[in-house]
Amino acid sequence: MFALEDYLNKSPLSKSQISLIKMRASQINGCAYCINMYMNEALKTNETHQRLHLLNAWSESELFSKEEKVILKMTEEITLVSQKGLNDNTNKH
C-alpha cells in the first residue's frame, strides 16, 4: 500500500483525483475507517461534499468529468480485479 501511495503521489494525477481514487476503492472494500480518513483528506483538496456523497453513483452523475469517470472506472476494475479481471474497454467510458 505504501508503494501504491508513493506511485500515486509521483503520478501526474491531481490531489483531488488521488482522493477520489482512495475514496472509491475504500467504498468498494467497505472500510469505514478508510472512508472517513479519505473523506477528510478529499475535503482538504477542496473536493465538495456533494461530489463525495455522489461518488457511489459517479457514472450517472454530471458532476464528474470524463477524465474523472475513466479514473473511477479504472479504480473499480483494479479494486475488483480478483473477481472480474480487467476490461479492455475502460478508456471508452
Side-chain angles (χ1 to χ4, degrees):
M1 292 308 296
F2 290 117
L4 179 58
E5 179 82 19
D6 187 51
Y7 178 82
L8 286 173
N9 287 330
K10 291 178 181 175
S11 77
L13 297 172
S14 71
K15 296 291 183 194
S16 178
Q17 291 169 331
I18 293 170
S19 291
L20 291 175
I21 290 168
K22 292 177 186 179
M23 271 288 295
R24 187 65 191 123
S26 296
Q27 289 174 332
I28 293 166
N29 290 328
C31 178
Y33 174 83
C34 297
I35 291 169
N36 186 56
M37 178 174 56
Y38 295 134
M39 171 82 73
N40 291 327
E41 183 180 293
L43 292 170
K44 289 178 185 175
T45 68
N46 294 322
E47 190 55 75
T48 67
H49 285 278
Q50 183 181 20
R51 283 172 34 107
L52 293 173
H53 288 299
L54 290 174
L55 191 54
N56 277 328
W58 62 266
S59 64
E60 299 174 18
S61 173
E62 295 179 9
L63 295 178
F64 297 95
S65 70
K66 184 175 182 175
E67 181 180 35
E68 289 169 329
K69 288 183 176 189
V70 169
I71 290 168
L72 291 166
K73 178 67 174 164
M74 290 176 68
T75 298
E76 289 183 357
E77 287 195 20
I78 292 167
T79 303
L80 298 170
V81 71
S82 67
Q83 296 173 10
K84 299 180 182 180
L86 289 178
N87 179 345
D88 289 337
N89 298 320
T90 299
N91 64 355
K92 296 178 183 176
H93 188 275

